[in-house]
Amino acid sequence: MTNDTNEKESLDFIRHIVAEDCKSGKWGGEVVTRFPPEPNGYLHIGHAKAFGIDFGVAAEFGGRCHLRFDDTNPTKEEREYVDAIQEDIRWMGWDWGEHLYYASDYFGQMYEYAKELIRKGLAYVDDQTPEQIRRGRGTLKQPGVESPYRDRPAEESLDLFQRMKGGEFPDGSRVLRARIDMTSPNMNLRDPVMYRILHATHPHTGDAWCIYPMYDWAHGLEDSIEGVTHSLCSLEFENHRPLYDWFIDAINQGRTDDGSGEWGKTIRHPQQIEFARFNLTYTVMSKRVLRELVEGGHVSGWDDPRLPTLRGMRRRGYTPQALREFLSRVGVARFVSTVDLGLLEFCLRDHLNKVAPRVMGVLNPLKVVITNYPEDQEETLEAINNPEDESAGTRQVPFSRELYIEREDFMEDPPKKFFRLTVGKEVRLRYAYFITCTDVVKDDDGNVVELHCTYDPATRGGDAPDGRKVKGTLHWVSAKHAVPCETRLYDRLFTAEDPMDVPEGGSFTDNLNSESDKTVTAMVEPDVADKPAGWRCQFERNGYYITDPDSQLGKPVFNRIVTLRDSWAKIKKKG
RNA sequence: AGGGGAUUGGUGUAACGGUAGCACGAAUGGUUCUGGUCCAUUUAGUCGGGGUUCGAAUCCCUGAUCCCCUGCCA
C-alpha cells in the first residue's frame, strides 16, 4: 500500500476523538480501552459491535484493551458465562493478552474509597426500606425528598457501613448512598445507592463479601483503577456520566497530583464516550427476548443457528471475518440504526465466495437415467474446487448411468426464460456431459418421478467440440455414489422486519417464521463423507453450508449458512 | 420541574462554513460450464419553518418525530 493512493480514511466520531487525544497528548499518547461484560448471559452480535469498537480502537491506536468481568452482582452471575464470553471474543479474533480482570478484584479498593466519601460527608448509610427509598426518589417530573438519615454524623455512617461489611445486618436493611442532590432533574444523581447488603456467594470472591457495590459506583472506579483512557459504552449510560464524574471528583476532593494532600494522590478520570447500539431486521437482540425464545422452546438453545448469539452464528457457519466486515460497515454513530439483514448476508457471501470449496449437492432429488450410457460403466470427471481460488485445485467426481438432479431444474411446461431442463432440450451437467431429455416417467398421480435422457459422449468435461452452446448448466450427483445428508435449511427466525412490532395484545412469537428450520435429506457428492464438523463449502448454484457438530464420520449434517443470490427467483416472482 | 440524546437516498454511513460521497439494496446491460462471481450504467437523500453568511447537512432560533432516564440490575 502506498501513501499516495490514500483516499483520506474517514474515521467515526469515536476514532476522531481518540485521534485528537493522541495528537494533543492528552493521555500521554496512551490508549487504553476495555470491554466490561457482566457474566450473566451469552454474547450476541450487538456485543460484538461493542467489543469490536473497544478492541479495534485500541489496536488501531497502538493501545491495549482489557477484558473485565463486571461481576458486582453475585445473585445474577455464573462462572459458566465467564468462560463462554472469552471463547466468543476469541472466536471473533480479539485478544486481551494478560489483561483479564474482574471488577470484584477491586472490591477492597472500592470499599476504601467508599469510607473516604463517608468521612468527607459525601456518603451516608440509609436505614430506609427499599420501598421508602423508591418513594423518596420522586418521579421524572417531581423532585425527590431527602432521607431522614441523610444528615446523620459521618462517624455513625462509618460505623454502620463497617458493620454492614461485617455481616451484622440482613439483606435489604441498609444501604450506603451518595449524598448528592435529591432534586436533580437527572434521576441518577438523586442520592444513588452505592452499596447494598447481599449475603450471597460470589462466583469469583466466594463469601469474602456480604456487601456489594452498585454498578454506577463501581464502574467508573474500575476504569480509573485500570488506567483506562477512553471508556466506550452504549448510549443509555450517557445519563450516568455525570454521576461517574461526580464520584471521581468526590474521591479527588482533597487529593493532589503529587500526593501531598490530606487524601493522597488524585486518581485517573477516564473519558466516557457513548455510541448507539443497532438493530438487525428480522431478528431480536434483547437479552430478555432471547431468553424467552430459549426458555420457551422456540429455539433449540443459546446456540441455535437462527439466533444472533455468537454461539448461534458460529454454529450457523458465519465466519468471524464476515462478521467483522459487517460490523465495520454498520459503523459507529449516535443514532440507533436498523441494519438490513441483507448487509450481513452480503458480507457472508462475499467472504465465503472466496474461501468455500464448491461441491455438488441435490436438495430435492429427481432421478435421471442416461439411457444411452452403458449399464455398469462409471467414470470420474474433474471438477474445479473454487473458481475464485486456483490454489484450491480440482477433485474427481464420479459419474454413472443414474443420477440425481434438482427437481426444480426440470419443468414439463416451462415459461419463456427457463434455461433448465425440459423435454427435448439440451443442457449441460456441470463438469460432465450435455444431456437431452427424451422421456418423463410419472406415477399414477401424474407426478414426475424419473427422467430419461441421452448424453453426448463428445461433450465429456462439459464442452462441445462443435462449439454449440447450451443455456443451462445443472448440478448433479451420481445416484449410486451419493451420500444422503441431513441438511438444515435455516432461514430468518422471524417473518417481520421488526419482530417486536406487534398489534395490541399480540406477542412477538406471532412473528416467528415456521419455515425457519426446514430439514431435508440432500444427496451430496461422496467427497463430503469424511469431513469433520465445522467444514464450510458451497453447494453449487444453491448456497453455503457448514457441517454441524451433530455430524458423524460418514454421516455429515449440513447447516445452510446463507443462500446464493438467486436472480432466477426474482425473474420468477416478476412472472 | 422535568432532564439527556438523536434525525443525510429504501438501509447503513461520510462530508470539522466551500462540488452532498461511499457501500448494501433495487433496476438495466455485458461476461460466464454456478441464473453465483465479476464488469458497466442507472436509481434515489440533508426532518419542517425562520435566521446568520458571498456561501449552511454543518452555526443560531423555532417546531416535529424518535430513543434513554423514576432497580438495593448492569
Side-chain angles (χ1 to χ4, degrees), chain A residues 16 21 24 35 68 113 132 154 160 257 288 321 384 388 450 456 482 484 556 572:
Chain A
H16 252 125
D21 290 348
S24 72
F35 177 58
R68 179 178 68 231
Y113 286 146
Q132 287 169 323
L160 252 13
D257 287 342
R288 191 204 99 228
Q321 294 92 328
I384 294 167
E388 305 295 316
E450 192 174 294
D456 176 358
K572 253 194 319 195

Side-chain angles (χ1 to χ4, degrees), chain A residues 441-457:
Chain A
V441 181
K442 296 182 182 177
D443 64 14
D444 294 343
D445 300 327
N447 301 311
V448 176
V449 293
E450 192 174 294
L451 261 25
H452 289 175
C453 298
T454 57
Y455 84 121
D456 176 358

Side-chain angles (χ1 to χ4, degrees), chain A residues 278-414:
Chain A
F278 75 105
N279 298 305
L280 237 197
T281 56
Y282 300 102
T283 193
V284 292
M285 224 100 98
S286 103
K287 195 173 275 184
R288 191 204 99 228
V289 176
L290 290 173
R291 187 176 302 279
E292 249 180 277
L293 286 172
V294 173
E295 289 174 357
H298 298 106
V299 296
S300 62
W302 288 100
D303 67 342
D304 188 292
R306 296 165 296 172
L307 252 23
T309 54
L310 294 180
R311 316 178 86 62
M313 289 181 157
R314 179 156 68 236
R315 186 163 187 184
R316 176 73 171 267
Y318 291 4
T319 64
Q321 294 92 328
L323 257 18
R324 281 229 222 171
E325 175 64 22
F326 168 70
L327 292 171
S328 111
R329 284 167 184 259
V330 166
V332 183
R334 291 177 60 85
F335 178 71
V336 183
S337 55
T338 298
V339 179
D340 195 331
L341 183 62
L343 182 63
L344 176 55
E345 294 182 339
F346 166 81
C347 294
L348 253 3
R349 291 180 184 122
D350 194 44
H351 181 225
L352 261 8
N353 176 49
K354 295 183 187 102
V355 300
R358 272 56 167 177
V359 132
M360 291 193 284
V362 177
L363 301 189
N364 188 8
L366 172 62
K367 180 167 277 186
V368 170
V369 179
I370 312 291
T371 51
N372 59 338
Y373 194 88
E375 199 84 45
D376 36 7
Q377 179 173 318
E378 51 182 87
E379 63 186 307
T380 63
L381 298 157
E382 183 172 61
I384 294 167
N385 283 332
N386 187 347
E388 305 295 316
D389 175 12
E390 209 178 324
S391 72
T394 61
R395 70 186 182 285
Q396 296 296 316
V397 184
F399 185 88
S400 63
R401 189 170 195 264
E402 298 198 348
L403 313 167
Y404 293 117
I405 65 164
E406 209 69 68
R407 191 163 280 274
E408 291 75 47
D409 284 342
F410 174 80
M411 279 184 96
E412 265 194 294
D413 229 2

Side-chain angles (χ1 to χ4, degrees), chain A residues 243-258:
Chain A
L243 176 56
Y244 305 155
D245 292 342
W246 188 92
F247 279 137
I248 299 270
D249 290 345
I251 291 168
N252 278 337
Q253 211 175 93
R255 290 172 179 253
T256 55
D257 287 342
D258 59 7

Side-chain angles (χ1 to χ4, degrees), chain A residues 67-334:
Chain A
L67 172 60
R68 179 178 68 231
F69 288 102
D70 218 325
D71 54 353
T72 56
N73 187 348
T75 67
K76 295 200 170 172
E77 294 148 12
E78 289 170 35
R79 183 78 225 174
E80 178 195 351
Y81 298 119
V82 169
D83 300 328
I85 287 168
Q86 294 186 61
E87 185 183 21
D88 287 345
I89 300 172
R90 280 212 189 85
W91 176 68
M92 284 293 290
W94 299 110
D95 184 16
W96 48 94
E98 72 260 38
H99 299 286
L100 173 65
Y101 304 110
Y102 292 82
S104 54
D105 288 337
Y106 315 135
F107 282 176
Q109 179 65 261
M110 292 173 190
Y111 178 68
E112 294 305 317
Y113 286 146
K115 287 193 293 186
E116 183 173 328
L117 291 208
I118 297 173
R119 291 197 189 94
K120 287 174 176 172
L122 297 173
Y124 62 97
V125 170
D126 194 338
D127 299 353
Q128 292 184 105
T129 64
E131 172 61 17
Q132 287 169 323
I133 289 177
R134 194 186 60 74
R135 270 190 280 114
R137 188 151 29 227
T139 68
L140 293 179
K141 298 189 177 177
Q142 237 58 55
V145 298
E146 296 183 351
S147 164
Y149 301 96
R150 195 174 199 262
D151 292 321
R152 86 159 126 211
E155 279 314 312
E156 187 180 323
S157 278
L158 195 57
D159 174 62
L160 252 13
F161 184 53
Q162 284 164 338
R163 290 162 61 194
M164 280 167 63
K165 174 175 181 282
E168 283 190 40
F169 309 119
D171 289 3
S173 57
R174 277 176 240 265
V175 291
L176 183 71
R177 297 179 76 179
R179 200 167 185 280
I180 308 181
D181 178 7
M182 290 307 292
T183 69
S184 172
N186 183 342
M187 301 292 285
N188 297 122
L189 297 178
R190 318 244 263 229
D191 286 14
V193 173
M194 296 164 65
Y195 275 94
R196 73 283 217 192
I197 301 172
L198 245 30
H199 291 270
T201 300
H202 187 282
H204 193 62
T205 62
D207 295 317
W209 296 85
C210 66
I211 56 170
Y212 289 93
M214 297 290 291
Y215 173 87
D216 278 343
W217 161 243
H219 195 81
L221 299 181
E222 296 159 22
D223 288 342
S224 176
I225 290 166
E226 288 180 14
V228 167
T229 57
H230 302 271
S231 181
L232 313 177
C233 65
S234 48
L235 241 34
E236 69 264 35
F237 293 105
E238 187 162 31
N239 293 334
H240 298 238
R241 179 156 32 98
L243 176 56
Y244 305 155
D245 292 342
W246 188 92
F247 279 137
I248 299 270
D249 290 345
I251 291 168
N252 278 337
Q253 211 175 93
R255 290 172 179 253
T256 55
D257 287 342
D258 59 7
S260 61
E262 182 187 352
W263 301 96
K265 250 180 113 164
T266 49
I267 65 170
R268 172 172 250 168
H269 193 152
Q271 176 182 10
Q272 172 168 300
I273 306 170
E274 307 87 7
F275 58 86
R277 302 178 173 201
F278 75 105
N279 298 305
L280 237 197
T281 56
Y282 300 102
T283 193
V284 292
M285 224 100 98
S286 103
K287 195 173 275 184
R288 191 204 99 228
V289 176
L290 290 173
R291 187 176 302 279
E292 249 180 277
L293 286 172
V294 173
E295 289 174 357
H298 298 106
V299 296
S300 62
W302 288 100
D303 67 342
D304 188 292
R306 296 165 296 172
L307 252 23
T309 54
L310 294 180
R311 316 178 86 62
M313 289 181 157
R314 179 156 68 236
R315 186 163 187 184
R316 176 73 171 267
Y318 291 4
T319 64
Q321 294 92 328
L323 257 18
R324 281 229 222 171
E325 175 64 22
F326 168 70
L327 292 171
S328 111
R329 284 167 184 259
V330 166
V332 183
R334 291 177 60 85

Side-chain angles (χ1 to χ4, degrees), chain A residues 519-536:
Chain A
T519 295
V520 299
T521 300
M523 294 304 209
V524 191
E525 59 178 88
D527 257 24
V528 302
D530 58 353
K531 297 299 183 205
W535 180 74
R536 294 183 184 87

